[in-house]
Amino acid sequence: MKIENSIALVTGSNRGVGKSLVAALANAGCKKIYAAARQTNNLELPDTGVEIIPLTLDVTKQETLENAAKLASDVQIIFNNAGVLEFGDILETPEQNLRSILDTNFFGKVAVAKTFAPVLEANGGGTIVNTLTLLSLASMPGFAAYNASKAAAWSMSLSLRASLQPKNIQVVNAFPGAIDTDMLASVEMDKTSPDDVAKEILHAVQNNQEDVFPDPMSKQVYEAWRQDHKAVEKQFASM
Ligand SMILES: NC(=O)c1ccc[n+]([C@@H]2O[C@H](COP(=O)([O-])OP(=O)(O)OC[C@H]3O[C@@H](n4cnc5c(N)ncnc54)[C@H](OP(=O)(O)O)[C@@H]3O)[C@@H](O)[C@H]2O)c1
């Protein structure tokens, strides 16, 4: 799908990858961008001349989603980007924490897709980009709730792709590795800049690529996983 002259919406656009997506969309010639966030009062928006409209949206609050869908009724591309991470082993993660992570990373993604699919359809079709993670493919035990939420989101996204394909709506799945944002700030490891990840995700949208591994780590792990998924499972389990 062409980014130039398109109208896009980004969830979680106030920081991290979402903020970089807004900047990358503006640089790629997007006509209008809805910068959605839980709090819009301190959004730092790029000064590029592109129309950018702040939109209050919490993916776990249906009333904010419905309101956003009314205000962004001309949208064509949805970046279902917002997410949360909590560290912890599966045996030690309280059920309420598991539910809370699933609320945002799984049910939140479902709610965004269900709310905006009719809007995209009314606009003749479009694209939904679901930001997943390499951990959708294989679990790292220290990220137990996050792994589960993102594996469920991947499965949901495959169902969504099949259901939306006849409506001319493409579903793109992004599977990043480690990115240099607040989410992973406490973990010392090689990370890719959110600006580079955002550019790769837009490249995938432009090229009608269904799955994108938008950084060196994700490309390398995906290749290994394709060859021997059990080896990656064991490698992640030992980390
Ligand atoms: N960082 C990584 O290494 C990495 C790797 C793979 C995938 N990802 C995925 O990439 C996406 C972006 O993450 P990031 O690295 O940019 O993390 P981040 O810097 O922590 O940003 C997370 C964003 O999600 C928003 N958010 C959280 N809960 C929300 C809700 N209920 N409704 C609306 N917005 C909500 C946050 O808003 P507030 O400021 O209001 O909290 C923030 O804007 C996530 O889906 C994440 O899982 C990240």
Side-chain angles (χ1 to χ4, degrees):
M1 172 159 188
K2 249 178 93 182
I3 303 283
E4 205 179 356
N5 283 323
S6 67
I7 302 175
L9 182 152
V10 182
T11 68
S13 69
N14 53 312
R15 57 194 173 98
V17 177
K19 187 175 172 189
S20 294
L21 280 167
V22 171
L25 284 162
N27 286 330
C30 210
K31 186 160 71 185
K32 193 197 280 187
I33 304 165
Y34 293 100
R38 290 197 277 200
Q39 299 285 337
T40 53
N41 46 352
N42 48 11
L43 277 182
E44 291 165 28
L45 302 174
D47 188 11
T48 56
V50 174
E51 187 181 6
I52 304 182
I53 300 172
L55 214 55
T56 305
L57 193 161
D58 183 325
V59 302
T60 65
K61 298 206 164 80
Q62 190 56 36
E63 67 278 11
T64 69
L65 282 162
E66 276 158 26
N67 195 38
K70 278 190 202 118
L71 293 169
S73 61
D74 52 358
V75 72
Q76 298 162 309
I77 312 178
I78 304 289
F79 291 86
N80 208 349
N81 161 78
V84 286
L85 168 71
E86 187 182 301
F87 300 100
D89 184 274
I90 192 64
L91 297 175
E92 284 151 20
T93 304
E95 184 179 329
Q96 71 189 51
N97 298 40
L98 263 173
R99 287 186 187 278
S100 144
I101 298 282
L102 278 153
D103 271 346
T104 303
N105 292 353
F106 175 71
F107 290 107
K109 277 204 173 7
V110 178
V112 168
K114 284 177 84 166
T115 306
F116 283 98
V119 179
L120 299 184
E121 190 181 359
N123 294 332
T127 298
I128 298 177
V129 181
N130 286 324
T131 305
L132 306 168
T133 157
L134 263 186
L135 301 181
S136 300
L137 274 60
S139 292
M140 279 188 196
F143 296 74
Y146 184 77
N147 299 328
S149 68
K150 292 284 188 172
W154 180 26
S155 174
M156 177 280 292
S157 202
L158 298 179
S159 301
L160 191 67
R161 182 177 284 157
S163 299
L164 293 181
Q165 195 261 335
K167 300 175 193 288
N168 195 29
I169 300 170
Q170 187 191 20
V171 174
V172 176
N173 286 333
F175 299 87
I179 312 170
D180 194 6
T181 65
D182 295 344
M183 185 170 275
L184 225 50
S186 62
V187 180
E188 286 286 327
M189 63 190 299
D190 284 346
K191 299 173 201 168
T192 301
S193 84
D195 288 351
D196 287 349
V197 169
K199 279 185 217 142
E200 284 261 350
I201 292 174
L202 293 203
H203 185 263
V205 172
Q206 296 254 39
N207 290 286
N208 300 321
Q209 208 178 311
E210 288 192 339
D211 299 315
V212 53
F213 293 83
D215 55 279
M217 177 191 285
S218 62
K219 286 184 207 313
Q220 190 205 334
V221 173
Y222 177 57
E223 203 38 53
W225 182 85
R226 263 162 41 98
Q227 286 173 28
D228 185 350
H229 69 94
K230 291 299 288 181
V232 173
E233 178 192 320
K234 285 183 171 44
Q235 184 200 349
F236 278 17
S238 68
M239 291 171 97

